[in-house]
Amino acid sequence: MTDFALNALVWADYRLAVLFTVSLPLLLLVWAFISKMDAIQRLLEIYWKVSSLLAITVFLFIAAIPLGFVTGWLARLLIPISLWFWVDLNEDIHDMLPQRPLKIAFNSWRWGVTVYSVLGSLLSLGFVRCAGFSQDVLLTEDTSCRLWLEPPWGFRDYFMAGQTPDFVGFLGAFGLLIYTAYLVYFLVIRLGRQGRSAIR
């Protein structure tokens, strides 16, 4: 694949990510809150916790930290798992009246983001190798890896212009530390206690 084609693909992926992983779930969360649809609201709250790894990845990429290639790939795997894992929430959503507009919209988005995440994980799998490069190699020698950093750099220029890449990278690393601690807690303690039930 040429650098031009890869660049177009990378930017298309980021634009789809904004649509599927930020804009639509935010609208659905507001809709579920207003409609008092507790099961959908709870599942979307879980989704936002899990998908925060994408935001962490963007922060790592702003600082050109190679680990971002691993966290981005993992986020694409964890997102669909978080949306389909919970037996009790899936049953509650299934039992809702079939023609409820929110149910239709939510299930459409859930299938859409699942397909997007699976295809994205297959695409990004080829770039996990970039995590093994030093920051210098990432920035100066490997064009195909560096292309994945350009949209986050644009995000920083637009929304975080006053912050240095090192500071943003520190925030990303700190966020990753908290995320990892919570994930370990979930896998080691909470999952054993509650299984596939999302009841608090």
mmCIF file of all heavy atoms in Angstrom, residues 23 76 116 122 130 170 185:
data_model
loop_
_atom_site.group_PDB
_atom_site.id
_atom_site.type_symbol
_atom_site.label_atom_id
_atom_site.label_comp_id
_atom_site.label_asym_id
_atom_site.label_seq_id
_atom_site.Cartn_x
_atom_site.Cartn_y
_atom_site.Cartn_z
ATOM 1 N N SER A 23 -19.384 10.314 19.047
ATOM 2 C CA SER A 23 -20.619 11.064 18.797
ATOM 3 C C SER A 23 -21.875 10.235 19.038
ATOM 4 O O SER A 23 -22.762 10.637 19.810
ATOM 5 C CB SER A 23 -20.616 11.603 17.356
ATOM 6 O OG SER A 23 -19.496 12.409 17.122
ATOM 7 N N ARG A 76 -9.758 -1.749 20.565
ATOM 8 C CA ARG A 76 -10.669 -2.262 19.531
ATOM 9 C C ARG A 76 -11.158 -3.670 19.853
ATOM 10 O O ARG A 76 -12.213 -4.077 19.393
ATOM 11 C CB ARG A 76 -9.970 -2.239 18.171
ATOM 12 C CG ARG A 76 -9.674 -0.821 17.679
ATOM 13 C CD ARG A 76 -8.834 -0.889 16.414
ATOM 14 N NE ARG A 76 -8.334 0.393 16.005
ATOM 15 C CZ ARG A 76 -8.877 1.149 15.046
ATOM 16 N NH1 ARG A 76 -9.970 0.742 14.444
ATOM 17 N NH2 ARG A 76 -8.334 2.302 14.709
ATOM 18 N N TYR A 116 -17.101 -2.251 13.120
ATOM 19 C CA TYR A 116 -16.014 -1.290 12.967
ATOM 20 C C TYR A 116 -14.804 -1.689 13.804
ATOM 21 O O TYR A 116 -13.658 -1.625 13.334
ATOM 22 C CB TYR A 116 -16.493 0.113 13.347
ATOM 23 C CG TYR A 116 -15.360 1.075 13.560
ATOM 24 C CD1 TYR A 116 -14.653 1.593 12.481
ATOM 25 C CD2 TYR A 116 -14.964 1.443 14.849
ATOM 26 C CE1 TYR A 116 -13.586 2.459 12.668
ATOM 27 C CE2 TYR A 116 -13.900 2.305 15.045
ATOM 28 C CZ TYR A 116 -13.219 2.810 13.953
ATOM 29 O OH TYR A 116 -12.151 3.644 14.158
ATOM 30 N N LEU A 122 -8.237 -5.721 12.941
ATOM 31 C CA LEU A 122 -7.499 -6.451 11.896
ATOM 32 C C LEU A 122 -6.541 -5.507 11.164
ATOM 33 O O LEU A 122 -5.404 -5.872 10.863
ATOM 34 C CB LEU A 122 -8.471 -7.099 10.911
ATOM 35 C CG LEU A 122 -9.344 -8.221 11.475
ATOM 36 C CD1 LEU A 122 -10.354 -8.694 10.432
ATOM 37 C CD2 LEU A 122 -8.484 -9.391 11.956
ATOM 38 N N CYS A 130 4.895 -1.460 15.376
ATOM 39 C CA CYS A 130 5.439 -0.118 15.598
ATOM 40 C C CYS A 130 5.714 0.130 17.076
ATOM 41 O O CYS A 130 6.529 1.008 17.416
ATOM 42 C CB CYS A 130 4.472 0.940 15.076
ATOM 43 S SG CYS A 130 4.078 0.791 13.310
ATOM 44 N N PHE A 170 2.409 12.401 29.472
ATOM 45 C CA PHE A 170 2.349 12.070 30.899
ATOM 46 C C PHE A 170 0.909 11.791 31.319
ATOM 47 O O PHE A 170 0.643 10.826 32.054
ATOM 48 C CB PHE A 170 2.927 13.217 31.734
ATOM 49 C CG PHE A 170 2.641 13.086 33.202
ATOM 50 C CD1 PHE A 170 3.355 12.183 33.982
ATOM 51 C CD2 PHE A 170 1.644 13.839 33.786
ATOM 52 C CE1 PHE A 170 3.084 12.041 35.346
ATOM 53 C CE2 PHE A 170 1.365 13.712 35.145
ATOM 54 C CZ PHE A 170 2.085 12.812 35.922
ATOM 55 N N TYR A 185 -8.210 -5.271 38.593
ATOM 56 C CA TYR A 185 -9.203 -5.445 39.663
ATOM 57 C C TYR A 185 -10.439 -6.171 39.139
ATOM 58 O O TYR A 185 -10.955 -7.094 39.777
ATOM 59 C CB TYR A 185 -9.595 -4.086 40.245
ATOM 60 C CG TYR A 185 -10.861 -4.127 41.058
ATOM 61 C CD1 TYR A 185 -10.865 -4.618 42.365
ATOM 62 C CD2 TYR A 185 -12.072 -3.681 40.513
ATOM 63 C CE1 TYR A 185 -12.038 -4.668 43.104
ATOM 64 C CE2 TYR A 185 -13.245 -3.736 41.237
ATOM 65 C CZ TYR A 185 -13.227 -4.238 42.531
ATOM 66 O OH TYR A 185 -14.387 -4.303 43.252
#
